[in-house]
């Protein structure tokens, strides 16, 4: 069976930069093709309990956007061939100025942005600023979108679209059914490549959606493993790599 591409989620600085870097190494060793690194945020709209808790713990250390970008730069320096996408929220990008934020991100080695609360057709200039800095904006499609709006997004010419496999927040296991597959097909109808995630916890789910996506996205499952093994880096690396291999089918 062909390897399934994996975009794996990591919270910058969780629980420390050293342990987060060890987790990034384990993800790459386990077959992750893309690293989606989240800048911690205090009031998320899409994150489930595991990621919310991780962000809260990092922010309690007075961790700033500059610290997150420095962490991303360290990961990029170690794995220059692995694309890194920033996942965060609009205010972190908007506060320093969208163009300035994108310029700093590109300098850290970022390839793309996933900002779920900046709609594709009202993004405060994010798509333009990404393009000017050699990155791409990856908008988020949700099953709650009307057919008309989803069609408009699908045909808007984005290289990639992130398809959230269900409404709500991340973390709970997602059931893949015919409606899920129809949604993925609708997201890709305009020719954009699709990243599919939200509640992917194992290989069984990834095998079902793999034919319909460019890469499977998994996040909370890795954040939970990092939390469980934070006091033993060797065990953390083994658990994270094993889960990545399971999801990719290696």
């Amino acid at each position: 069976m062909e390897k399934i591409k994996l975009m794996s989620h990591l919270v910058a600085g969780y629980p420390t930069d050293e342990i987060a870097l060890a987790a990034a190494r384990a993800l790459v060793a386990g077959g992750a093709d893309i690293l989606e690194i989240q800048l911690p945020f205090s009031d998320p709209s899409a994150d489930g309990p595991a990621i919310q808790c991780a962000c809260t713990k990092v922010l309690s250390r007075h961790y700033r956007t500059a610290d997150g970008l420095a962490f991303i730069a360290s990961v990029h320096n170690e794995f220059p061939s692995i694309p890194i996408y920033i996942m965060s929220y609009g205010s972190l990008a908007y506060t320093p100025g969208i163009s300035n934020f994108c310029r700093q991100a590109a300098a850290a080695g970022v390839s793309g942005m996933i900002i779920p609360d900046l709609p594709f057709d009202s993004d405060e200039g994010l798509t333009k600023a990404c393009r000017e800095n050699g990155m791409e904006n990856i908008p988020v499609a949700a099953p709650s979108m009307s057919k008309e709006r989803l069609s408009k997004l699908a045909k808007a010419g984005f290289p990639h679209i992130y398809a959230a496999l269900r409404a709500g927040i991340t973390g709970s296991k997602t059931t893949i059914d015919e409606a899920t597959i129809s949604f993925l097909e609708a997201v890709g109808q305009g020719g954009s490549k699709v990243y599919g995630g939200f509640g992917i916890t194992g290989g069984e789910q990834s095998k079902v959606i793999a034919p319909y996506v460019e890469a499977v996205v998994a996040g909370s499952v890795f954040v939970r493993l990092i939390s469980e093994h934070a006091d033993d880096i060797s065990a953390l690396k083994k658990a994270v790599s094993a889960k990545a291999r399971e999801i990719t089918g290696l």
Side-chain angles (χ1 to χ4, degrees):
M1 179 181 166
E2 188 177 340
K3 177 187 177 295
I4 297 167
K5 287 185 72 173
L6 169 64
M7 183 200 299
S8 55
H9 185 101
L10 196 64
V11 175
Y14 179 71
T16 66
D17 279 15
E18 179 188 8
I19 295 173
L21 183 56
R25 290 170 179 150
L27 287 165
V28 173
D33 301 276
I34 303 163
L35 295 176
E36 178 191 23
I37 300 181
Q38 178 163 350
L39 295 179
F41 190 70
S42 59
D43 188 24
S45 58
D47 300 328
I51 294 175
Q52 277 196 46
C53 182
C55 286
T56 298
K57 287 184 177 179
V58 176
L59 290 171
S60 72
R61 306 201 323 258
H62 307 289
Y63 205 80
R64 302 177 66 85
T65 297
D67 300 315
L69 291 174
F71 170 75
I72 287 170
S74 69
V75 176
H76 174 67
N77 287 339
E78 190 160 333
F79 303 106
S81 65
I82 299 287
I84 296 175
Y85 297 153
I86 278 181
M87 184 271 156
S88 198
Y89 291 92
S91 67
L92 284 189
Y94 185 81
T95 299
I98 296 287
S99 294
N100 186 38
F101 179 76
C102 287
R103 191 163 52 250
Q104 292 176 358
V110 173
S111 299
M113 296 279 181
I114 301 170
I115 312 287
D117 58 343
L118 286 180
F120 73 96
D121 52 357
S122 184
D123 68 4
E124 303 293 344
L126 179 64
T127 299
K128 180 175 181 286
C130 282
R131 201 175 291 131
E132 289 171 348
N133 287 279
M135 302 184 296
E136 64 171 300
N137 178 29
I138 302 162
V140 178
S144 56
M145 281 180 161
S146 68
K147 286 185 179 179
E148 294 76 17
R149 183 162 178 76
L150 182 57
S151 179
K152 184 181 177 185
L153 168 56
K155 295 171 182 175
F158 289 96
H160 297 90
I161 298 173
Y162 185 125
L165 299 180
R166 57 174 167 74
I169 57 175
T170 60
S172 303
K173 185 174 181 179
T174 296
T175 301
I176 312 295
D177 55 20
E178 288 183 15
T180 310
I181 301 307
S182 295
F183 169 63
L184 288 172
E185 290 176 333
V187 175
Q189 66 180 300
S192 300
K193 293 181 178 179
V194 179
Y195 297 132
F198 247 57
I200 297 296
T201 59
E204 193 176 310
Q205 295 161 299
S206 64
K207 286 173 189 172
V208 175
I209 69 166
Y212 307 95
V213 299
E214 169 73 6
V216 172
V217 187
S220 293
V221 63
F222 291 119
V223 175
R224 284 192 289 266
L225 288 173
I226 292 166
S227 299
E228 289 168 15
H229 300 289
D231 57 349
D232 185 340
I233 288 184
S234 177
L236 182 152
K237 286 182 174 179
K238 286 179 183 176
V240 168
S241 288
K243 179 56 70 174
R245 284 193 296 272
E246 178 195 340
I247 292 172
T248 59
L250 286 177

